[in-house]
Amino acid sequence: MQSLLFGGNGAARRPYLMPLLAFVLLLIGMPDALAHGVPEGDKGFIQESSGILLMPFVYMGAKHMITGYDHLLFLFGVIFFLYRLKDVGLYVTLFAVGHSVTLLFGVLSNISISPYVIDAIIGFSVVYKALDNLGAFQRWFGYQPDTRAATLIFGLLHGFGLATKIQEFEISPDGLIANLIAFNVGVEIGQLLALAGILIVMGFWRRTTSFWRHAYTANVVMMSAGFLLMGYQITGLIISQ
């Protein structure tokens, strides 16, 4: 991977334009809920449902992932320099496995962690991956963290955040395990659909001469977005006390 820490060409001449644009777009697009927001229609369905309802929960899981800008930002950073589909599949699977394990464990064991804290950590994961892509860890510490382990860990943490939100809805125990598994299948489908679109765009972008020229700026934007997400969730945690 080419080190991007100090940028190059046109990127260094306009370091504030793209982060500022990302800041504004994220503010406009932020949901009303400060952490793991769930649409009112889905919330009502979860609270009133009873029995095994596989397809509705698959749909909600897919929608949760496709509309989850925080974890999609992280996964975008993970695949930024991945060119082989088997590598992309490995990292997506690691994130999905981590998410699934702690979602099931958290709900079935009635263990919860503040979604604000979890989402702040997800924001930190975006910052971490952007710095990794910029070659910061190798340059600063002479050490390359294991991205596979980081992806699994962040997936585990994210699952706890969603488990907390589901527990608040007092979901019916009738068909609970089957519905949770269906939800996670939907999450995996949502990841594949979202990443398919990202990979198509990335494929075209990588074929252009501007890819390396703008890769630095793209990762600075991603890092800025991660810091914004962290601040947004920490603020939500403070005002919710």
Side-chain angles (χ1 to χ4, degrees):
M1 182 188 74
Q2 180 174 334
S3 177
L4 304 174
L5 188 58
F6 295 109
N9 297 318
R13 293 195 295 271
R14 50 183 185 277
Y16 305 111
L17 179 60
M18 291 300 291
L20 178 60
L21 177 61
F23 179 88
V24 173
L25 290 176
L26 278 170
L27 282 180
I28 293 173
M30 284 292 182
D32 293 334
L34 291 179
H36 272 110
V38 175
E40 286 299 318
D42 291 349
K43 177 180 177 181
F45 177 82
I46 292 173
Q47 290 176 324
E48 297 173 5
S49 63
S50 179
I52 298 176
L53 301 167
L54 299 182
M55 292 311 298
F57 276 89
V58 168
Y59 166 76
M60 285 188 291
K63 184 168 71 170
H64 168 74
M65 178 56 70
I66 291 176
T67 59
Y69 53 85
D70 49 0
H71 43 240
L72 287 181
L73 270 175
F74 175 69
L75 289 174
F76 171 72
V78 168
I79 70 169
F80 198 89
F81 289 114
L82 296 180
Y83 291 84
R84 296 184 301 180
L85 286 178
K86 70 175 184 178
D87 292 331
V88 174
L90 171 63
Y91 284 100
V92 170
T93 300
L94 286 172
F95 190 83
V97 167
H99 180 282
S100 302
V101 167
T102 48
L103 172 60
L104 289 168
F105 179 74
V107 173
L108 297 178
S109 303
N110 199 31
I111 297 175
S112 63
I113 301 175
S114 170
Y116 295 107
V117 174
I118 296 299
D119 282 356
I121 293 173
I122 294 294
F124 170 76
S125 75
V126 175
V127 174
Y128 155 82
K129 192 61 192 121
L131 286 173
D132 187 26
N133 289 346
L134 292 168
F137 300 117
Q138 289 180 328
R139 189 172 297 274
W140 293 344
F141 309 114
Y143 171 73
Q144 175 59 47
D146 189 337
T147 304
R148 291 171 298 181
T151 303
L152 177 61
I153 291 170
F154 287 126
L156 289 168
L157 291 169
H158 176 79
F160 268 127
L162 188 57
T164 299
K165 182 59 64 176
I166 289 178
Q167 289 176 53
E168 293 176 0
F169 298 155
E170 299 180 354
I171 185 172
S172 170
D174 184 16
L176 175 61
I177 295 178
N179 289 336
L180 288 177
I181 292 174
F183 184 89
N184 278 290
V185 170
V187 167
E188 181 73 13
I189 293 173
Q191 282 190 125
L192 293 175
L193 291 175
L195 286 175
I198 294 173
L199 286 170
I200 290 172
V201 174
M202 289 290 292
F204 283 109
W205 185 25
R206 286 167 177 164
R207 293 189 182 97
T208 67
T209 57
S210 66
F211 176 70
W212 286 106
R213 188 166 68 250
H214 296 136
Y216 169 82
T217 302
N219 279 278
V220 170
V221 169
M222 186 169 63
M223 181 172 59
S224 301
F227 278 122
L228 176 62
L229 289 171
M230 289 174 61
Y232 196 83
Q233 300 300 336
I234 291 171
T235 300
L237 176 63
I238 293 172
I239 65 177
S240 68
Q241 300 302 313

